Amino acid sequence: MKILFISSEVAPFSKTGGLGDVAGALPVALASLGHDVKVVTPRYRDLRDAARLSPTGQSLQLRFPFGEQGGPILSARMSERLEVLFLENEFFFGNRHGLYGDAWGEFGDNARRFAYLSVGALQAAQRLGFVPDIIHANDWQTGLVPLALRRGFQATALASARSVFTIHNLAYQGQFPKGVMADLGLPWDLFTSEGGLEFYDTVNLLKGGLVFADALTTVSPTYAREIQTPEQGYGLDGLLRRRSHRLHGILNGVDTHEWNPATDPFLPERFGPRELAGKAACKRELLRRFGLPEGDAPVFAIVSRLAWQKGMDLLLDALPTALQADIRFVGVGSGEGPLEEGMRALQERYPKQVSVHLGFDPALSHLVEAGADFFLMPSRYEPCGLNQMYSLRYGTVPIVRATGGLVDTVEGGLDGNGILFEAFHRAALLAAFRRALSLYADPLRLGDFRRRGMEKDFSWDASATRYEALYSALVAE
């Protein structure tokens, strides 16, 4: 098949979170299955690996009520069957730092910027003579793609393409004042709550994808069920229930080349499920790097955005009690100011047990995954999550709340590979700490937990095969 994949961020060129990881990895896996894939994304000012880009000789010229905008189409050839296309536009992407906003908040023209991406991606396919079987859009930034395909490109070669829209995090919906309808030239008959973009008297771009796409996916089976409830539907649960026959939960994969303890260049010693000796060396180096005393105490860890969604406030509430036992805690991350302050205060209060690095450090993140004994993810909600899968691959037992993709990847119980707790409550998290200490006191059982986790297959191959099956079914329709 020919697949046009559209995303506002694509690793390794641009990334703020899991969307960038998916857009960087899934197309690679699809191309390896024999499909021709073109990925379309903005050419941001701070784009990484920009030296790999070359001109295609084609440009866009789009006309909106707010004015005309255009720019060159650039290319990075990743493999024989995979090409990443970059839409260059100085006004929308080249004259500012940040993908969606900066220190002063979200960019005020984001509706225009990502309308340019959505319509521009379709025009780019036309300009390059690429006629896709499948057009796969991702998150609110490309929510106008299925709509534009239905209402603006119905008389073109793209009209026969089937559309897929993936929800990576339903909490982010791209809501704008209703004046955006006229600004972007959207017909006012689409400003309706039933079958349109209207959402509590605003324009909701994510809703456009949910209404007009031929198929909907999200990033784990459990999250697909959760977003159909009022608790996690963020006002769109009714629409998702009505379209449930078109909604598929497909678990994300991970980059098994980057995250492989047998080959990881960031580790002092490498190891595998049948030879775990190197993990002890990683633990010693982890404690040294964080300035904590060596010993046999279990090490609990996080690598996370310090955010409300991630349950970091719950963790800060529980840790003083948990630290009454002989444990160590290390953390890597940054985020909301009060949570960063809480981590600093915890480190000052327990200098021989707690050490945190407030910032992003890939090498240190790998060492944490390899050297820790337990990895904490007490999330309020988690569409998929990646760190619990990294932890399992590195023999670090995850302690997770039973929500979203965490349920789909971590197996609790006596013969499991991790520890789950249900209630988002301090007592439930502290009970999980106690279960972890009991497991740590039984080295044979701990070794079994580690090996079971390390032997799980979290590669993108399985996920890509499921997407391939979905695409094929849509084309057959």
Side-chain angles (χ1 to χ4, degrees), residues 95-173:
N95 68 352
R96 64 190 87 189
H97 297 287
L99 274 61
Y100 312 120
D102 53 24
W104 289 272
E106 298 287 304
F107 294 133
D109 60 349
N110 273 347
R112 293 180 176 185
R113 297 173 74 228
F114 294 109
Y116 182 86
L117 170 63
S118 298
V119 180
L122 299 178
Q123 190 180 94
Q126 289 181 307
R127 293 286 169 89
L128 296 170
F130 185 72
V131 182
D133 301 292
I134 294 291
I135 298 177
H136 190 153
N138 295 270
D139 266 356
W140 72 262
Q141 294 89 348
T142 60
L144 288 177
V145 169
L147 167 59
L149 189 64
R150 290 267 192 96
R151 298 289 290 262
F153 288 78
Q154 69 270 39
T156 72
L158 301 184
S160 62
R162 306 291 279 168
S163 62
V164 176
F165 183 73
T166 296
I167 309 155
H168 296 266
N169 189 334
L170 191 67
Y172 300 95
Q173 299 183 4

Side-chain angles (χ1 to χ4, degrees), residues 10-15 46-50 52-53 76 78 84 86:
V10 178
F13 302 100
S14 57
K15 174 184 168 181
D46 298 325
L47 199 77
R48 295 187 286 274
D49 290 344
R52 298 173 67 175
L53 276 56
M78 311 300 288
V84 182
F86 298 85

Side-chain angles (χ1 to χ4, degrees), residues 377 379 382 384-385 388 400-410 420:
M377 293 182 72
S379 303
E382 194 67 60
C384 178
Q388 82 278 13
V400 305
R401 182 159 173 264
T403 185
L406 303 179
V407 174
D408 298 320
T409 49
V410 178
L420 291 90

Side-chain angles (χ1 to χ4, degrees), residues 260-271 276-289 294 363-372 394:
N260 183 351
T263 58
D264 195 325
F266 295 121
L267 306 186
E269 288 189 27
R270 298 174 183 96
F271 58 95
L276 282 163
K279 188 168 176 65
C282 293
K283 181 175 179 178
R284 289 192 296 271
E285 176 63 12
L286 178 67
L287 291 169
R288 187 193 71 78
R289 288 281 296 276
E294 281 193 32
L364 198 57
S365 299
H366 281 246
L367 183 60
V368 168
E369 292 286 9
Y394 282 67

Side-chain angles (χ1 to χ4, degrees), residues 101 111 143 184 297 331 371 396 430 452:
L184 300 182
T396 297
L430 287 172
R452 283 192 291 269

